[in-house]
Amino acid sequence: MKLTSKARLELWAERLDREPQRCLSTLGEIELASPSERPCMRSDNSPLTVAFEDPVLRAIGLKSDNFGDAVSFFDLTEGDAHYILCSCMNGSTMTAAQAAQRVRSITNRTTELRVLLSCLVGALAVLGIKMLLG
């Protein structure tokens, strides 16, 4: 089964919402880790653990519950992953519902950005046509 990155993120958020009050650990100070250390970062019982516990996400390619595999599998920027997972943004723990909300905000932001870019391209095309036709 092949899913878009947005669909994979939505599936992760759904899994988090199954136990909304579950207390999850964040990843400690991602921004302080060296670029070579960051991909291996993980924490027991994190939002990534919830994703990796899901047999569907594992079956379609999630390799582990570490930062690097999540960034790759969910097609996240490191900034987006930092926003969802880091202790500096969320404290040392967060509920699964809070994590789900952060995951969904990434999917919504991606959709909004695509719509904005499409509108901008359309406006530039109209402006270009007007300039050509005088």
Side-chain angles (χ1 to χ4, degrees), residues 104-125:
R104 283 196 177 94
S105 74
I106 299 300
T107 64
N108 292 338
R109 191 169 55 207
T110 301
T111 300
E112 290 167 6
L113 182 59
R114 286 185 183 142
V115 169
L116 180 63
L117 288 174
S118 295
C119 290
L120 180 60
V121 168
L124 289 173

Side-chain angles (χ1 to χ4, degrees), residues 74-124:
F74 291 110
D75 196 24
L76 296 169
T77 66
E78 284 202 7
D80 288 341
H82 180 263
Y83 171 74
I84 296 168
L85 301 165
C86 191
S87 63
C88 77
M89 303 290 289
N90 303 292
S92 61
T93 62
M94 65 194 313
T95 65
Q98 290 168 319
Q101 185 279 323
R102 286 187 175 257
V103 170
R104 283 196 177 94
S105 74
I106 299 300
T107 64
N108 292 338
R109 191 169 55 207
T110 301
T111 300
E112 290 167 6
L113 182 59
R114 286 185 183 142
V115 169
L116 180 63
L117 288 174
S118 295
C119 290
L120 180 60
V121 168
L124 289 173

